[in-house]
Amino acid sequence: VRAEKSMIFVSDIDPKMVEMTQFHAKQAGVEHQLTVRCRDARKLHLQNYGGIMVTNPPYGERLMNEKQAQELLKEMRYPFAELMDQGWRIGVLTPYQELEKAVGCSAQEKRRLFNGNISCRFYQFFA
């Protein structure tokens, strides 16, 4: 049995988080499987081959305020639709309970969990 290696694309708008990701990937021995870039997730143009994208957008606690964080999620509506049309699966970790309304579609799967001490949901969208 041959093990397949996954290629993973990682982006963050904060250069410090990109550096941290690269450091931890190297420590874990998986840096060769990652492509890490400093980019805004709303402006990603991914190739038309499908895949899985997981995002953990700001909650309005440490970055942005709550209203700005909710507006950011609404801005993701069209990029999400485009990615799903191309066969991508999308996962979103957020405490915002109106995510489905904000992005304009229903999640196929939802899970309740905690990110630190923050009660969140992990929504999964796919075509």
Side-chain angles (χ1 to χ4, degrees), residues 51-64:
I52 300 170
M53 181 180 89
V54 178
T55 184
N56 182 15
Y59 300 167
E61 300 209 5
R62 185 175 54 88
L63 301 172
M64 304 181 167

Side-chain angles (χ1 to χ4, degrees), residues 2-96:
R2 192 180 93 186
E4 295 291 325
K5 291 186 177 183
S6 299
M7 288 303 298
I8 302 167
F9 179 81
V10 181
S11 75
D12 198 291
I13 200 167
D14 183 344
K16 290 179 184 175
M17 293 298 110
V18 170
E19 271 184 43
M20 187 182 296
T21 299
Q22 290 169 324
F23 172 80
H24 288 291
K26 187 172 184 176
Q27 294 295 309
V30 297
E31 74 276 12
H32 59 281
Q33 293 179 281
L34 299 180
T35 300
V36 184
R37 300 285 184 266
C38 188
R39 293 199 185 143
D40 186 328
R42 293 168 293 178
K43 298 176 183 172
L44 288 179
H45 296 288
L46 302 173
Q47 294 178 353
N48 188 14
Y49 58 81
I52 300 170
M53 181 180 89
V54 178
T55 184
N56 182 15
Y59 300 167
E61 300 209 5
R62 185 175 54 88
L63 301 172
M64 304 181 167
N65 63 42
E66 189 174 336
K67 184 173 173 52
Q68 290 170 318
Q70 291 173 5
E71 288 301 316
L72 173 68
L73 291 170
K74 290 177 185 175
E75 289 176 32
M76 293 179 161
R77 173 181 279 210
Y78 297 105
F80 278 12
E82 184 178 318
L83 289 170
M84 285 190 295
D85 285 347
Q86 295 174 11
W88 286 82
R89 294 175 64 117
I90 300 170
V92 182
L93 179 65
T94 182
Y96 184 49

